[in-house]
Amino acid sequence: MAAHYQIVGSSSAAISASVESGIRSGGLAPGVTLPAVRALATELAVSPATVAKAYQELRQRGLVVTAGRHGTRVRPRPPVATRRAALMPAPLPGARNLSAGQPDSRLLPPLGPHLAALATELGPPSGYAVTAVLPELAAAARERLAADGVPAEEITVTGGALDGIERLLAAHLRPGDAVAVEDPGWANLLDLLAALGLRAIGVPVDDDGPTEPGVRAALTAGARALIVTSRAQNPTGAAVSADRAVALRTLLAGRADLLLIEDDHAAELARVPLHPLAGATPAWAFVRSVSKPYGPDLRLAVLAGDEATVARVAGRARVGAGWVSTVLQRLVLALWRDPGTADLVRRAGESYERRRDGLVDALAARGLVAHGRTGINVWVPVPDETVVVTALRDAGWSVAPGALNRIAAAPGVRITVSPLDAADLAPLADAVARAVRPVGPAPFTA
Ligand SMILES: Cc1ncc(COP(=O)(O)O)c(C=O)c1O
């Protein structure tokens, strides 16, 4: 898709400001291709170097991406507030939205009773002199992490997993540094790396996690950090297996030059055991979000790690945002302590599993291989994402194109099972099979 927005400016700063303004207004929608450097330079009567400098600045800030022969394009989610309409693909009335990657709101534990109980327990309002992490929350988090084999003497709290990851990367890396991430991987993480001016090195992932040769190659290519999703990898549903954990721990052992980050966002919702890498490297962090089991709006994650790494994150937060509200911390603690909530989370995990397995099996019965060992998504490798996404939209199902998740991985589509009921699985699998292998006109035979 090419841009129809008029870029203006006679200096590199003015040109990049004009592009940024186009992105904000929606005139330059995510994914559109910017004019080639020479063409824009001629149009604006400036030197190609001036345009190239503007594009470079936009690239460093993560607003655009340059991809070889595809030219320079606006990133799918550039880090400037955009009119929402510009980010949304045109919705088809009545289509079922399986593209959002959201947990099933029907299965999130209700917060009302816990908020009501908190209201009676809170006591006088807190001022600035609060402890960053509530000691009771830290103790409960330590116990839960230790039960999963994560050494959690040092712990802090962040505003969600991605906030923790951003703080870790900002504290350890500099713009231009390379970060190894799963490929396909979490689209928001790729956008964050771009916004921080970091380079993503893709590591192939199979059902058992990032592959050992892939991580080895990323290390050889100079990765300064490695981010591994423990379970419910987005988009493939992979979970680090016991064998893969041993192989990766051996490979990473003692690497003082690497920051190891584990993202356990599925947490209590994952129905497979955790095989942590925590502690394999001197600098490490293990981030566990409450978003998937208890609700994304809680905006809280616990972050364990080695002493220096946790101190950097907590210390930087102290001179910035300060801390995560103790009201939220108390709420999470109440959810963790409530046996009824634990039961709801367990049942939610079973429900996702039934729908994921049901969809993967229904696709297999139609000759299609799909992935989804854990989590809320199923990943279906397809020959052509655009063809499949469009055909499914026409059939009333909106799914996410894997292009948002991929660096060099093969194409696929991501289907979030949260909105699905058991009765949807067969018709959806039929629609996917038709979209992947459209029935064309019968071949001409003489
Ligand atoms: C891989 C991964 N990590 C983390 C999260 C959740 O992050 P947060 O705690 O910032 O809500 C998600 C949500 O989709 C995810 O897919």
Side-chain angles (χ1 to χ4, degrees):
M1 206 186 351
H4 294 298
Y5 170 87
Q6 185 59 56
I7 299 170
V8 295
S10 54
S11 66
S12 64
I15 294 167
S16 68
S18 168
V19 172
E20 181 171 349
S21 156
I23 294 172
R24 275 202 314 276
S25 68
L28 290 173
V32 301
T33 307
L34 299 186
V37 169
R38 281 184 184 283
L40 185 59
T42 309
E43 199 181 313
L44 299 179
V46 297
S47 75
T50 303
V51 175
K53 192 165 169 228
Y55 282 10
Q56 185 193 20
E57 196 253 344
L58 290 161
R59 203 163 41 242
Q60 281 165 349
R61 291 178 45 223
L63 273 71
V64 303
V65 58
T66 302
R69 66 190 169 83
H70 297 296
T72 298
R73 283 177 288 129
V74 178
R75 285 192 65 86
R77 271 184 300 260
V80 288
T82 314
R83 280 197 296 122
R84 265 193 91 63
L87 292 175
M88 297 289 186
L92 273 193
R96 299 282 298 281
N97 188 1
L98 312 178
S99 68
Q102 297 266 0
D104 186 343
S105 54
R106 299 169 295 183
L107 299 179
L108 291 175
L111 300 182
H114 297 288
L115 284 168
L118 261 188
T120 62
E121 290 162 14
L122 264 182
S126 310
Y128 277 104
V130 292
T131 328
V133 184
L134 279 185
E136 310 91 286
L137 183 93
R142 270 190 202 105
E143 200 180 309
R144 297 168 89 87
L145 291 174
D148 280 338
V150 179
E153 288 78 39
E154 303 299 330
I155 213 161
T156 190
V157 174
T158 59
L162 201 55
D163 180 49
I165 293 171
E166 173 170 9
R167 290 172 187 283
L168 287 161
L169 294 173
H172 278 79
L173 273 60
R174 295 287 162 265
D177 282 349
V179 180
V181 292
E182 292 139 350
D183 183 19
W186 185 24
N188 291 18
L189 179 60
L190 295 177
D191 292 336
L192 174 68
L193 296 186
L196 292 173
L198 298 169
R199 281 184 298 121
I201 300 183
V203 174
V205 55
D206 61 22
D207 289 334
D208 294 327
T211 65
E212 200 250 9
V215 173
R216 189 186 294 279
L219 296 179
T220 307
R224 299 278 327 279
L226 165 68
I227 304 176
V228 175
T229 313
S230 315
R231 304 178 284 192
Q233 198 265 352
N234 186 349
T236 67
V240 176
S241 64
D243 287 351
R244 185 63 52 82
V246 170
L248 292 180
R249 290 186 80 94
T250 309
L251 175 64
L252 299 175
R255 294 284 307 227
D257 53 343
L258 185 84
L259 170 67
L260 167 65
I261 302 175
E262 283 173 282
D263 174 3
D264 187 33
H265 73 113
E268 293 83 357
L269 207 58
R271 298 199 17 93
V272 295
L274 180 76
H275 297 292
L277 308 178
T281 52
W284 65 275
F286 183 95
V287 188
R288 177 174 281 179
S289 169
V290 304
S291 289
K292 290 293 163 358
Y294 304 101
D297 191 34
L298 289 164
R299 305 311 310 132
L300 190 144
V302 292
L303 187 153
D306 65 281
E307 191 195 344
T309 298
V310 175
R312 281 189 186 187
V313 171
R316 179 63 184 82
R318 205 173 304 138
V319 297
W323 68 95
V324 172
S325 167
T326 55
V327 178
L328 281 182
Q329 296 190 43
R330 281 181 210 284
L331 183 54
V332 167
L333 190 59
L335 289 163
W336 279 353
R337 284 179 172 164
D338 175 30
T341 300
D343 201 42
L344 286 179
V345 171
R346 185 183 51 74
R347 294 218 302 267
E350 288 168 3
S351 167
Y352 287 121
E353 184 168 65
R354 269 195 305 278
R355 291 178 281 171
R356 261 185 359 252
D357 289 355
L359 182 56
V360 169
D361 290 349
L363 291 168
R366 289 155 182 81
L368 293 177
V369 175
H371 302 266
R373 252 184 86 194
T374 52
I376 63 175
N377 298 307
V378 167
W379 173 255
V380 190
V382 300
D384 186 321
E385 290 172 7
T386 311
V387 167
V388 171
V389 169
T390 310
L392 280 171
R393 266 186 59 198
D394 292 345
W397 305 97
S398 171
V399 304
L404 299 175
N405 306 84
R406 296 189 291 111
I407 301 170
V413 296
R414 190 192 71 179
I415 302 177
T416 303
V417 300
S418 304
L420 293 174
D421 293 315
D424 296 320
L425 301 181
L428 172 60
D430 282 338
V432 175
R434 271 197 302 273
V436 173
R437 288 191 295 260
V439 185
F444 176 79
T445 45

